[in-house]
Amino acid sequence: MFGTAKRDTALLIIVAILTLFAPFLLNPFPAGSAMAQFNAGYPDLMQRFVIFGIFAIGFNILFGLTGYLSFGHAAFLGVGSYAVVWMYKLLDYNIIWGLPLAIVISGVFALMIGFISLRRSGIYFSILTLAFAQMMFAISYSDLLGRFFGTTITNGETGLQVYRSDPQVLIDSWESVPHLLGLVEMRSTYTMRLGDWSFDFNAGYYFCAVIMLLTFYLAIRIFRSPFGMMLRAVKSNQQRMNYTGLNTRPYALAAFVISGMYAGLAGGLMAAMDPLAGAERMQWTASGEVVLMTILGGAGTLIGPVLGAGFIKYFENIFSKINDNVLHSWFAFLPDGIEDFMVVIVHPFVGKGWHLTLGLMFMLVVIFLPGGLVEGGQRIARLFRRKNARNDAPDGSKTPAE
Amino acid sequence: MAILEVKNVGKRFGGLQALNNVNLSVAENSCHAIIGPNGAGKSTLLNCLVGKLIPDTGSVMFDGQSVLGRKPYEINQMGISRVFQTPEIFGDLTVMENMMIPCFAKRDGAFELNAITSVTSQRDVVEKAEHMLEDMNLIDKRGMHAASMSRGDKRRLEIAMCLAQDPRLLLLDEPTAGMARADTNNTIDLLKRIKDERDITIAIIEHDMHVVFSLAERITVLAQGTPLVEDTPEKIKGHPKVREAYLGESQDAA
């Protein structure tokens, strides 16, 4: 089905089901209960899950396949956001104008930056991409280009937003927020209540989810194509490629541009959910975040980057909200002294300390599971299969490795 | 007719004249060996042929066209394939994928953005790669990671990958270096078979005299960057200059 192998089709279907039912799956605890802290099923966060999923899927096409570690991909995220907000300002709030533009413009930027950066490999390539991204951040943050041309391009540190004085030539009187073709507003949410539980179904989330599924499907096709195989060959042995009559440069550049376009689309979707674009989206921390997501989930695997994006966004938004009051309520069943002691112990790892937990988790994954969370899953699956195999076949015939 | 014509090639690295006025002519469909003591400039000469190095002087013509100034992948597409001293293969990829890459390079050229169709749907490439693996007795290992194969298998895979491109000239850089006797003999047999079955020219750099005398039809002896003699194996064996420059210095190689 879909022209993909059985296993890939199964993976695609699983991901599709998970994203479609995410509003249920992410809200497993009744609203108002002590565990409601861990509910992640609110529109804002769900949108971020899938948008960063797209970002990481694209990044993985570059880093996971070719091994070129870009430290400047957030620049394309920012470019995409600016493109979409500019379409709001010039035309109207219909997101259909901005998103294709975001992909095209970020692709052009990726072509230019990649063309220069790919003259070097390894750490020098990473530094070049980082330098380009920081330059773009600095230019956006001060609106250097805008001041040069005597107009607004990025609107500096305020961030780009829509003003009443903007042309908005296609605007209708009812438009005030981003929408798709006038059919549905991105922020519109239907809340379903079932007893104590409540589930949010947000139009913006579903729009992003569908796009993520499309980009995921495209990534599967790329992974399984001759082009994808060449990208893995770039990572494996460039010398052999050159002496096999293959020019490595355009392969790496194509991967760079494709992943840049993915990033641009993700940035565009951010602005499609919330009609703002700020320079901080381009900062190197954001570039570093997508590297973490990809490695945490499993670089070079299909589903890994999506898992990694989900994990990091979950930690960032859920763990950071746990404060001492919440901790006290959790440990209330303990005697007073021990309760306070436990709170003191756990305190550094939650709330503002969520980075610490994430850092520890990242260390554990890199040391014990170099293949990321996906490798963890595979090991568990293998463990079960071995047990089953032992039960079925006492002669010890082993199941073939993947 | 000469398929490879090297004329007055010189290459200097700082104070070292690695190649000095080298002339070499390799006849089409022959097997030509280049021998010489360590530091004679054999590898430098080979690197000048494949575009890794650009000689300071002289010319290198392949089939009537100059290779100088061309990139390694362009020279490869002209029909020159190279086997390295330590097998250069795609270690992270499977044996089958290793075999398919040169087939794609032969079919699609140096770059092709074939990003939507799946690899397995390219029947012509899959069949060709399978055929090559069968021919090389590697078909059982098709799903294996190439890096986990034995050295002899890696060498055979590398040769198979070069042959999949139907090169007109196959360059071998000490193909049996570091191999056990049995593996060396297998490699010799393989190269003999390739020579018999295909219209191919082989140029080989080798230390092992056993390999050279079993394969080569002509031998060039290189010493200190200059060709000493070029002749048939029988004549080379007894040549006083060769004994002095090469065999005399390293008795164990004879």
Side-chain angles (χ1 to χ4, degrees):
Chain A
M1 204 178 7
F2 309 123
T4 50
K6 243 184 204 160
R7 272 188 51 182
D8 296 334
T9 313
L11 185 65
L12 187 64
I13 290 172
I14 291 171
V15 173
I17 291 171
L18 289 179
T19 43
L20 289 181
F21 290 99
F24 292 112
L25 298 170
L26 292 172
N27 263 0
F29 307 111
S33 72
M35 298 300 279
Q37 280 291 336
F38 290 102
N39 279 345
Y42 53 95
D44 202 32
L45 181 54
M46 286 197 297
Q47 289 165 4
R48 245 171 287 163
F49 280 147
V50 282
I51 290 172
F52 277 90
I54 295 171
F55 189 20
I57 291 169
F59 186 77
N60 190 38
I61 290 175
L62 178 70
F63 175 56
L65 291 181
T66 70
Y68 277 96
L69 177 56
S70 161
F71 254 107
H73 257 52
F76 308 123
L77 204 69
V79 168
S81 288
Y82 283 125
V84 167
V85 177
W86 264 111
M87 285 297 104
Y88 294 154
K89 287 166 83 74
L90 295 176
L91 301 176
D92 67 358
Y93 275 116
N94 193 345
I95 57 176
I96 210 77
W97 316 124
L99 290 177
L101 186 74
I103 298 173
V104 171
I105 301 242
S106 54
V108 171
F109 272 90
L111 189 67
M112 293 190 293
I113 293 177
F115 183 79
I116 297 169
S117 304
L118 284 166
R119 305 188 84 80
R120 292 284 170 271
S121 61
I123 188 77
Y124 303 102
F125 167 80
S126 304
I127 296 293
L128 278 172
T129 51
L130 177 63
F132 273 112
Q134 283 302 90
M135 280 194 287
M136 283 172 68
F137 166 69
I139 289 170
S140 314
Y141 195 72
S142 59
D143 205 358
L144 202 66
L145 273 181
R147 276 189 289 168
F148 182 74
F149 291 114
T151 169
T152 300
I153 290 180
T154 61
N155 207 20
E157 52 190 296
T158 321
L160 197 63
Q161 47 187 296
V162 183
Y163 296 112
R164 284 195 180 281
S165 56
D166 288 329
Q168 295 198 292
V169 292
L170 296 176
I171 197 97
D172 283 317
S173 52
W174 52 268
E175 287 184 62
S176 60
V177 288
H179 64 85
L180 177 66
L181 298 168
L183 299 171
V184 61
E185 287 181 355
M186 287 299 115
R187 64 171 188 191
S188 67
T189 304
Y190 167 73
T191 304
M192 184 167 106
R193 289 186 191 285
L194 281 175
D196 285 341
W197 282 267
S198 91
F199 306 105
D200 291 334
F201 297 89
N202 172 258
Y205 165 72
Y206 277 103
F207 180 72
C208 294
V210 168
I211 292 194
M212 190 202 74
L213 288 174
L214 288 176
T215 58
F216 186 61
Y217 172 66
L218 184 66
I220 293 179
R221 296 299 292 255
I222 290 175
F223 265 63
R224 304 296 181 227
S225 71
F227 174 70
M229 193 167 76
M230 293 300 175
L231 296 185
R232 284 188 295 134
V234 169
K235 183 180 184 175
S236 184
N237 193 340
Q238 296 211 10
Q239 166 123 310
R240 178 35 84 199
M241 267 196 104
N242 281 322
Y243 289 99
T244 310
L246 294 162
N247 191 357
T248 53
R249 190 78 66 76
Y251 279 109
L253 184 58
F256 193 88
V257 171
I258 291 171
S259 72
M261 290 161 100
Y262 266 76
L265 175 63
L269 285 172
M270 285 179 184
M273 298 302 108
D274 186 11
L276 290 170
E280 73 288 341
R281 230 163 250 179
M282 295 178 144
Q283 224 167 353
W284 67 274
T285 46
S287 298
E289 202 178 44
V290 76
V291 178
L292 292 188
M293 287 172 180
T294 310
I295 294 175
L296 186 69
T301 62
L302 278 166
I303 191 70
V306 185
L307 284 180
F311 252 79
I312 287 184
K313 284 294 143 190
Y314 187 83
F315 268 81
E316 182 186 291
N317 290 281
I318 302 297
F319 266 63
S320 62
K321 276 191 307 195
I322 300 172
N323 54 30
D324 280 2
N325 287 335
V326 178
L327 288 181
H328 276 291
S329 73
W330 285 357
F331 296 116
F333 67 94
L334 294 168
D336 263 358
I338 301 177
E339 179 189 329
D340 289 342
F341 177 72
M342 286 305 289
V343 170
V344 169
I345 294 280
V346 179
H347 173 84
F349 296 94
V350 296
K352 281 179 187 150
W354 72 272
H355 278 115
L356 193 60
T357 318
L358 185 70
L360 284 172
M361 216 174 73
F362 190 72
M363 270 169 56
L364 290 175
V365 165
V366 169
I367 293 170
F368 295 107
L369 298 170
L373 297 171
V374 168
E375 191 187 332
Q378 282 170 344
R379 281 196 195 176
I380 292 169
R382 223 172 296 156
L383 214 65
F384 275 103
R385 225 172 297 157
R386 212 170 292 159
K387 256 183 203 161
N388 286 342
R390 224 172 274 156
N391 294 341
D392 297 345
D395 59 341
S397 65
K398 54 181 180 177
T399 45
E402 285 171 46
Chain B
M1 199 202 118
I3 190 164
L4 183 72
E5 198 85 54
V6 178
K7 275 200 185 127
N8 306 325
V9 162
K11 180 78 192 174
R12 176 179 277 280
F13 297 114
L16 175 78
Q17 187 74 40
L19 292 177
N20 190 11
N21 213 17
V22 175
N23 287 292
L24 179 74
S25 169
V26 177
E28 193 156 8
N29 295 336
S30 70
C31 180
H32 197 123
I34 299 158
I35 63 172
N38 281 329
K42 304 183 301 284
S43 294
T44 309
L45 177 61
L46 194 72
N47 284 334
C48 287
L49 303 182
V50 294
K52 193 167 189 179
L53 292 174
I54 299 173
D56 304 329
T57 58
S59 69
V60 179
M61 302 291 278
F62 173 71
D63 199 23
Q65 282 182 298
S66 174
V67 305
L68 297 187
R70 291 182 201 249
K71 298 218 168 70
Y73 74 87
E74 292 170 324
I75 293 175
N76 177 280
Q77 291 281 0
M78 288 168 75
I80 303 181
S81 281
R82 176 183 180 174
V83 172
F84 287 79
Q85 196 168 340
T86 39
E88 290 280 352
I89 50 174
F90 302 109
D92 305 328
L93 274 58
T94 66
V95 172
M96 182 64 182
E97 286 171 330
N98 267 274
M99 203 62 242
M100 280 192 285
I101 285 172
C103 298
F104 277 117
K106 173 79 183 166
R107 195 190 73 179
D108 298 337
F111 174 71
E112 173 82 35
L113 190 65
N114 196 350
I116 299 299
T117 54
S118 85
V119 171
T120 44
S121 71
Q122 317 281 305
R123 290 312 309 172
D124 53 334
V125 166
V126 171
E127 273 163 26
K128 187 175 173 188
E130 277 173 349
H131 175 77
M132 286 300 299
L133 287 180
E134 259 164 32
D135 194 44
M136 290 284 166
N137 225 351
L138 287 166
I139 194 78
D140 300 339
K141 303 190 163 90
R142 57 178 295 168
M144 236 171 124
H145 268 241
S148 58
M149 290 200 300
S150 73
R151 185 162 177 130
D153 282 346
K154 281 182 189 165
R155 171 62 74 216
R156 256 190 307 161
L157 177 63
E158 194 190 21
I159 292 174
M161 286 164 73
C162 288
L163 291 179
Q165 295 187 283
D166 301 316
R168 302 189 51 203
L169 175 63
L170 182 65
L171 298 173
L172 299 143
D173 188 358
E174 300 195 28
T176 62
M179 267 191 193
R181 202 22 103 182
D183 275 341
T184 303
N185 286 335
N186 284 339
T187 309
I188 292 173
D189 291 342
L190 175 65
L191 292 173
K192 274 185 180 162
R193 185 162 69 89
I194 292 167
K195 225 172 62 172
D196 293 341
E197 285 176 1
R198 291 167 175 261
D199 288 336
I200 195 169
T201 313
I202 297 177
I204 182 168
I205 286 181
E206 189 52 83
H207 261 313
D208 190 330
M209 289 303 126
H210 173 57
V211 178
V212 172
F213 289 122
S214 353
L215 284 169
E217 288 149 30
R218 283 194 83 77
I219 297 176
T220 299
V221 183
L222 215 60
Q224 288 167 343
T226 319
L228 275 184
V229 221
E230 191 198 311
D231 219 323
T232 58
E234 293 73 36
K235 296 232 173 99
I236 291 287
K237 263 183 199 166
H239 205 288
K241 255 186 169 177
V242 179
R243 286 194 166 277
E244 184 196 314
Y246 189 158
L247 305 177
E249 274 177 24
S250 52
Q251 290 288 350
D252 53 337

